[in-house]
Amino acid sequence: MLIHADADAFFASVEQRDHPHLRGVPMVVGPQVVACASYEARALGVHAGMPLRHALRRWPELRVAEFRGEVYEAVSAELMTMFRDVTPLVEPGSMEEAFLDVTALDGGGQDDAAAHEAGRIAAHLRERARRELGLPVSAGVARAKLFAKLASRRAKPDGLVVVDAATEARVRPRLPVADLWGVGPATTAKLHEAAIVHVADLAGWTVEGLVERRVAKAMAKNLLAIRDGVDDATIKLPGPRKSISSTRSLGRATRQRSMVEKALQDNVLRALDRLGEDPREPTRLDVHLRFDDQYAVIQQGHLDEPTRDPTTLVGAALAALERTAYEEDGRGVAMVGVSFALPSPPQD
């Protein structure tokens, strides 16, 4: 059995945890665009990606918290550690969600008893997240990823849904294809053109037939696996990271050289610190800027050879920053970041 655990309104929940005056009121995490809205704000109609000035004009009662990337990353690390305390079989989906395979803990069966035991494990995990991290975590329990994800979505906010075998068998044919994980608007339109609206409508279809309808072959195989109830239940453990990065929101957009350069230098040192005991040396450096209109720029830095030397990396980052000509740009810089490309780890 699998658990899909997902911290609700992650950025907003962290801010409400840390700032009591934000609890129970409509609030968002900014600064220029809504990065996350609390459930109180969502009830009004606020959503992520909305320009903050538009949201405040429509809902002047909204409270705004500054985006604190470092804090969210630290809390994410604590959350993932908590997940791995339950089982080493953890597949992160983002910084606040993951699939956990608890088959070895629930008796290993696929029957109702296994689902019940997995639900008990998920309930304990949710209680611990609330007690130790101060975060609401919704969880879905099912035998495969699709239903675990759908169950956690149904559980929000701050709930738990367990899908047993009988429920899965009853619900699976009725699922709208538009709600399936990974099926986007373009694929949905192609399926609807073929009169495939629900999973049950896939009866009789073959991979070849779907491909003829311009559905990608991998997606066609996935759809038929979902139809047949043999969809993905495999946890994919993360491999060695291919890159490492650090970003910082400036709070108020600026073109002030000292502020932008200081933020970039801090990011270089923070990214190096995140390498920890990983012996690999960065082979490439990219500087990331986001302006106050959300336009993003990536400028590659020059490294003569792989290095972990802070002075060399800061120098390369600052030179790349200079090439963006941000000071001459009429827009203000809202976010500064850096990323290092890492070589593949040596083979044993």
Side-chain angles (χ1 to χ4, degrees):
M1 297 294 288
L2 302 181
I3 298 171
H4 182 258
D6 189 358
D8 300 325
F10 182 54
F11 298 162
S13 292
V14 171
E15 295 304 332
Q16 290 182 317
R17 179 197 71 177
D18 294 349
H19 302 100
H21 71 282
L22 297 177
R23 297 172 191 169
V25 300
M27 57 83 57
V28 298
V29 178
Q32 307 295 329
V33 172
V34 175
C36 184
S38 70
Y39 276 92
E40 296 86 357
R42 295 180 191 192
L44 299 177
V46 185
H47 58 81
M50 179 180 289
L52 184 58
R53 64 181 182 277
H54 293 171
L56 289 173
R57 185 162 56 243
R58 174 66 179 82
W59 299 283
E61 70 271 28
L62 283 177
R63 299 186 185 181
V64 182
E66 181 181 349
F67 184 91
R68 299 186 296 158
E70 293 178 64
V71 174
Y72 308 142
E73 289 166 4
V75 176
S76 172
E78 292 178 312
L79 188 63
M80 293 301 158
T81 298
M82 185 174 290
F83 291 164
R84 293 188 179 94
D85 285 347
V86 176
T87 171
L89 302 177
V90 175
E91 179 183 338
S94 65
M95 68 190 306
E96 75 272 15
E97 65 172 316
F99 289 102
L100 292 73
D101 188 335
V102 295
T103 304
L105 307 175
D106 63 23
Q110 298 292 342
D111 55 10
D112 290 350
H116 176 77
E117 179 60 17
R120 187 194 65 78
I121 295 169
H124 181 265
L125 173 63
R126 294 183 61 247
E127 292 169 2
R128 186 180 169 195
R130 174 69 78 174
R131 182 178 66 253
E132 299 181 17
L133 300 182
L135 294 179
V137 171
S138 292
V141 175
R143 69 173 188 87
K145 288 180 175 178
L146 170 65
F147 272 86
K149 179 87 169 180
L150 291 173
S152 70
R153 187 186 303 169
R154 177 63 65 87
K156 288 183 173 294
D158 197 15
L160 168 64
V161 170
V162 178
V163 180
D164 58 23
T167 302
E168 180 184 331
R170 183 177 68 256
V171 173
R172 182 179 291 273
R174 305 176 187 175
L175 288 175
V177 293
D179 289 349
L180 299 181
W181 191 23
V183 178
T187 301
T188 297
K190 295 171 186 176
L191 293 171
H192 284 183
E193 288 173 5
I196 301 171
V197 179
H198 297 89
V199 169
D201 299 327
L202 288 163
W205 282 88
T206 63
V207 170
E208 293 73 20
L210 290 173
V211 169
E212 288 178 2
R213 290 284 183 165
R214 295 178 293 119
V215 175
K217 189 172 184 179
M219 177 58 71
K221 290 181 177 179
N222 183 49
L223 288 169
L224 297 191
I226 291 171
R227 177 197 67 187
D228 298 336
V230 292
D231 43 309
D232 188 15
T234 304
I235 293 296
K236 300 177 180 64
L237 298 178
R241 66 181 75 186
K242 297 180 180 179
S243 64
I244 195 161
S245 63
S246 176
T247 61
R248 177 184 164 189
S249 170
L250 298 182
R252 186 178 299 276
T254 182
R255 294 195 302 275
Q256 185 176 341
R257 175 185 287 264
S258 60
M259 183 176 294
V260 176
E261 288 187 346
K262 177 64 165 57
L264 181 59
Q265 293 177 57
D266 289 346
N267 280 319
V268 170
L269 298 178
R270 192 179 305 124
L272 274 174
D273 185 61
R274 288 175 183 165
L275 274 173
E277 297 180 0
D278 189 327
R280 292 176 294 167
E281 298 182 331
T283 58
R284 196 187 75 238
L285 176 151
D286 291 329
V287 169
H288 303 251
L289 295 184
R290 189 175 70 235
F291 292 98
D292 51 15
D293 62 355
Q294 299 307 300
Y295 182 78
V297 171
I298 300 177
Q299 180 67 52
Q300 184 172 337
H302 177 69
L303 296 177
D304 291 327
E305 59 184 6
T307 181
R308 292 178 67 132
D309 177 60
T311 301
T312 301
L313 292 170
V314 167
L318 291 175
L321 175 66
E322 189 73 21
R323 291 196 295 276
T324 67
Y326 71 94
E327 289 183 289
E328 288 73 43
D329 193 294
R331 297 164 295 191
V333 177
M335 185 276 291
V336 182
V338 68
S339 61
F340 300 150
L342 299 174
S344 299
Q347 301 296 318
D348 293 334

